[in-house]
């Protein structure tokens, strides 16, 4: 459904993925809830609508509806910059690991969604389940290649 600004109607939806510095598996338990709350607040303040979102252990998936008055790069700079400052305010001990307030890595992935919104939302919801299934498959015990008779 198209949304509107003063003089325009628009549908701008983006699938965004970004990671903590060095792809550290930092997004767990208390930190996960804080990051979720921080991102919700930052999006609300800019008028950005979160359609779907999920915090994985080492990256964040978001499906956002961003007004056309903002460029995607300015939104990502805002989200990553402000959220890093707020994370370090709430969790001062992380400064020793990350220094200089660099919580997020420099890059991000973005894709326009268009009419595939439901497919992308489903992918974001179910990706953690898929990763867990793949981890269980990879735990298969392999036969020791060095087992057998010695020569």
């Amino acid at each position: 459904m198209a949304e509107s600004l003063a003089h325009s109607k628009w549908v701008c939806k983006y699938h965004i993925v970004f990671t903590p510095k060095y792809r550290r598996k930092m997004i767990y338990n208390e930190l996960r809830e804080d990051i979720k709350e921080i991102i919700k607040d930052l999006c609300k303040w800019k008028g950005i609508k979160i359609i779907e979102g999920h915090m994985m252990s080492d990256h964040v998936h978001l499906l956002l509806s961003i007004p056309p008055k903002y460029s995607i790069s300015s939104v990502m700079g805002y989200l990553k910059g402000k959220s890093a400052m707020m994370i370090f305010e709430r969790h001062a001990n992380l400064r020793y690991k990350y220094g200089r307030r660099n919580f997020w890595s420099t890059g991000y992935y973005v894709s326009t969604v268009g009419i595939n919104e439901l497919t992308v939302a489903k992918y974001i919801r179910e990706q953690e389940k898929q990763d867990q299934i793949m981890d269980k498959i990879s735990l298969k015990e392999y036969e020791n290649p060095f087992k057998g008779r010695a020569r």
Side-chain angles (χ1 to χ4, degrees), residues 50-64:
I50 299 174
I51 299 167
E52 193 72 44
H54 193 70
M55 303 283 164
M56 302 293 285
S57 63
D58 65 345
H59 62 281
V60 177
H61 278 278
L62 295 172
L63 180 57
L64 301 177

Side-chain angles (χ1 to χ4, degrees), residues 3 7 16 20 23 27 29 51 54 56 66 70 76 80 83 88 97 120 126 128 143 146-147:
E3 299 191 42
H7 301 284
I16 299 169
R23 204 161 172 107
I27 306 172
N29 303 330
I51 299 167
H54 193 70
M56 302 293 285
I66 301 173
Y70 300 121
M76 289 309 298
K80 289 168 61 176
S83 67
F88 286 126
K97 286 185 180 178
V120 174
E126 296 178 358
E128 189 168 30
E143 187 176 325
F146 300 106
K147 184 178 161 185

Side-chain angles (χ1 to χ4, degrees), residues 126-140 142:
E126 296 178 358
Q127 189 197 3
E128 189 168 30
K129 293 175 193 169
Q130 186 65 26
D131 285 352
Q132 290 170 348
I133 290 168
M134 293 307 291
D135 283 347
K136 287 179 183 175
I137 290 172
S138 66
L139 292 176
K140 178 183 172 190
Y142 293 98

Side-chain angles (χ1 to χ4, degrees), residues 73-90:
S73 60
S74 68
V75 168
M76 289 309 298
Y78 168 76
L79 280 180
K80 289 168 61 176
K82 294 291 185 190
S83 67
M85 289 172 35
M86 293 169 83
I87 289 166
F88 286 126
E89 282 178 15
R90 293 182 186 189

